């Protein structure tokens, strides 16, 4: 049984007459699948049902250490809790820093800059010095920190090189990316890697990228094969006198009043 | 600023991408991992990565088929992914002990999925963090006026 469930919510930890695997399937894996599918729907043109179902699914996943008998799955959810506790101040702090500067829209008040700095500093301190005690398998947290810092170092360095060498009119804007890469590398040295964890993590990332790349390639091939067989678009008829008059009226209006008069 | 030759720029980009893994490998100490265990782990990771991304691709192909009036696209994509996934699984089963002796393939898959949770969560958090760090520099619409656009 999960350590949480053993101490706090014993009655919820066992659903009478239900196998542990079935409990995990219904209270963890199914909601996890629905949460992912719901996020896709919310980003696209999903129906209103997903606005209710997705938060409930996310909540069920987060509560899994209380409701599902202890297993590898619940340890992963405990890790998710740690990631949320670390990621929330980090992302919120960076958002505040971004929107407290010279931004065209959505600028935050004067407290944005110090607030963002405090949150980011807190998160970075947690990243190096904090290990969540509620994550049963500590090696999972160590591997997560290695992946996070290593990926940030690679991504920030790549963004820097892209803007330095490939986007000529954004060169002077690339210094925060270099700072991010250097900071992530420094934190990686501060955190260190225990034993063979580093090699295993690199192998895992390589494996995931290989497998994902193969699936992506196949998906792209499907889309390409369908797009290749699309018929030529039919040519449109020439504009009628009515169309030309309407277009001339729009152009004249915009010349006199600008685009605002159309809104 | 003088232009950097394109091959050199791509070389720099490659080195930048490998910065994180290189530092992580540099920090590792102790004896090298067992080669066979590494191969089995890699095979598992390839298979899990393929299955998870395939599910995402099927969802995307469903949206694509709906938007572009190509109803056969998700069916064709699903068939292709299942066939390749089956062949990949068969090859990995023969190449390494993918399933193991004491557990069912489904149980083994879920165990491996959980095992990869730190990697997935780490990558999922690293992407927005890095984009926000980049946004610290790119948050204005201002351009470097002394630099000429390439196109």
């Amino acid at each position: 049984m999960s350590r949480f469930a053993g101490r706090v919510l014993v009655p919820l930890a066992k659903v009478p007459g239900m196998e542990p695997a079935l409990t995990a399937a219904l209270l963890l894996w199914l909601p996890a699948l629905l949460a992912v599918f719901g996020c896709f729907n919310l980003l696209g043109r999903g129906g209103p049902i997903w606005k209710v179902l997705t938060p409930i699914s996310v909540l069920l996943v987060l509560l899994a250490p209380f409701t599902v008998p202890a297993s590898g799955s619940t340890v992963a959810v405990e890790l998710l809790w740690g990631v949320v506790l670390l990621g929330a101040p980090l992302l919120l702090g960076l958002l505040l820093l971004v929107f407290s500067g010279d931004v065209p829209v959505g600028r935050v008040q004067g407290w944005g800059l110090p607030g963002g700095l405090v949150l980011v500093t807190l998160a970075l301190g947690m990243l190096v010095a904090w290990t969540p005690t509620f994550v049963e398998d500590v090696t999972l947290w160590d591997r997560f920190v290695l992946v996070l810092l290593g990926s940030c170092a690679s991504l920030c360095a790549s963004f820097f090189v892209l803007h330095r060498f490939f986007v000529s009119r954004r060169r002077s804007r690339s210094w925060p990316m270099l700072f991010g890469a250097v900071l992530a590398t420094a934190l990686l040295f501060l955190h260190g890697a225990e034993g063979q964890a580093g090699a295993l993590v690199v192998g895992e990332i390589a494996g995931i990228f290989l497998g994902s790349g193969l699936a992506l390639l196949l998906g792209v091939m499907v889309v390409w094969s369908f797009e290749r067989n699309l018929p030529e678009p039919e040519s449109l008829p020439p504009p009628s006198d009515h169309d030309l008059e309407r277009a001339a009226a729009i152009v004249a209006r915009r010349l006199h009043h600008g685009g605002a008069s159309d809104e | 600023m003088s232009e950097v030759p394109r091959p050199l720029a791509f070389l720099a980009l490659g080195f930048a991408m490998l910065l994180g893994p290189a530092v992580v490998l540099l920090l590792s100490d102790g004896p090298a991992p067992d080669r066979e265990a590494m191969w089995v782990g890699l095979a598992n990771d390839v298979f899990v990565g393929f299955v998870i991304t395939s599910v995402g691709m099927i969802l995307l192909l469903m949206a694509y088929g709906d938007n572009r009036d190509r109803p056969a696209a998700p069916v064709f994509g699903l068939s292709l992914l299942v066939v390749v996934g089956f062949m990949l699984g068969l090859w990995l089963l023969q190449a390494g002990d993918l399933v193991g002796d004491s557990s069912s393939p489904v149980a083994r898959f879920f165990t491996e999925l959980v095992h990869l949770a730190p990697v997935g969560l780490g990558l999922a958090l690293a992407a927005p963090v890095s984009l926000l760090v980049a946004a610290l520099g790119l948050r204005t619409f201002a351009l470097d006026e002394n630099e000429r656009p390439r196109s």
Side-chain angles (χ1 to χ4, degrees), chain A residues 58 61-62 74-86 134-135 141, chain B residues 121:
Chain A
V58 171
V61 170
L62 288 174
T74 53
V75 174
V77 179
E78 288 167 10
L79 177 70
L80 181 63
W81 269 105
V83 174
V84 170
L85 290 176
L86 173 77
F134 51 80
V135 180
W141 181 257
Chain B
L121 290 171

Side-chain angles (χ1 to χ4, degrees), chain B residues 7-78:
Chain B
L8 204 63
F10 275 110
L11 195 67
L13 187 61
F15 277 122
M17 283 177 177
L18 293 175
L19 173 69
V23 173
V24 170
L25 283 177
L26 193 72
L27 286 172
S28 299
D29 54 3
D34 179 33
R35 183 169 289 189
E36 194 178 342
M38 281 285 282
W39 169 241
V40 173
L42 187 71
N44 277 307
D45 301 336
V46 169
F47 194 63
V48 172
F50 179 82
V51 171
I52 293 173
T53 313
S54 296
V55 173
M57 288 311 295
I58 294 300
L59 293 176
L60 283 175
L61 284 175
M62 284 166 76
Y64 165 78
D66 189 32
N67 289 335
R68 302 281 285 170
D69 197 20
R70 290 284 180 275
V75 180
F76 178 51
L78 181 65

Side-chain angles (χ1 to χ4, degrees), chain A residues 29 37 40 45 72-73 76 79-80 83 86-87 90-91 94-95 97-98 100-104 140 143-144 146-148 150-159 161-166 168-173 176-177 180-181 185 188-189 192-200 202-212 214-216 218-220 222-223 225-227 230-231, chain B residues 1-4 6 9-10 12-13 16-21 23-34 38 42 45-46 49-50 53-57 59-61 64 66-68 70 72-73 76-77 80-81 84 88 110 113-123 125-145 147-150:
Chain A
W29 289 110
F37 196 63
F40 266 104
R45 295 179 299 176
S73 315
L79 177 70
L80 181 63
V83 174
L86 173 77
L90 186 58
L91 292 177
L94 282 170
L95 269 174
L97 286 181
V98 168
S100 64
D102 181 21
V103 283
L140 287 184
R143 283 168 50 216
F144 161 73
L146 282 180
V147 173
L148 175 63
S151 307
C152 281
S154 282
L155 285 172
C156 287
S158 303
F159 288 152
V161 171
L162 275 175
H163 285 89
R164 203 73 197 156
F165 297 149
F166 293 90
S168 56
R169 302 189 86 184
R170 288 288 198 172
R171 276 190 182 130
S172 69
R173 305 273 162 191
M177 305 161 207
T185 309
L188 209 47
F189 274 103
E194 295 247 342
Q196 302 171 353
L200 292 173
V202 172
E204 283 168 358
I205 294 176
I208 289 181
F209 272 78
L210 272 174
S212 302
L214 182 59
L216 274 175
L218 291 172
V220 168
V222 172
V223 174
S225 65
F226 275 92
E227 291 293 309
L230 278 177
Chain B
M1 186 177 170
S2 59
E3 291 294 324
V4 176
R6 217 12 100 83
F10 275 110
L13 187 61
M17 283 177 177
L18 293 175
L19 173 69
V23 173
V24 170
L25 283 177
L26 193 72
L27 286 172
S28 299
D29 54 3
D34 179 33
M38 281 285 282
L42 187 71
D45 301 336
V46 169
F50 179 82
T53 313
S54 296
V55 173
M57 288 311 295
L59 293 176
L60 283 175
L61 284 175
Y64 165 78
D66 189 32
N67 289 335
R68 302 281 285 170
R70 290 284 180 275
F76 178 51
L80 193 66
L81 287 164
V84 174
L88 184 71
F110 278 101
L113 196 60
V114 170
H115 181 72
L116 288 178
V119 177
L121 290 171
L123 292 173
L125 186 57
V129 166
S130 303
L131 285 172
L132 282 171
V133 169
L136 282 172
L138 304 174
R139 58 190 168 185
T140 73
F141 293 146
L143 299 170
D144 297 345
E145 291 302 330
E147 300 280 357
R148 290 193 316 168
R150 284 203 175 164

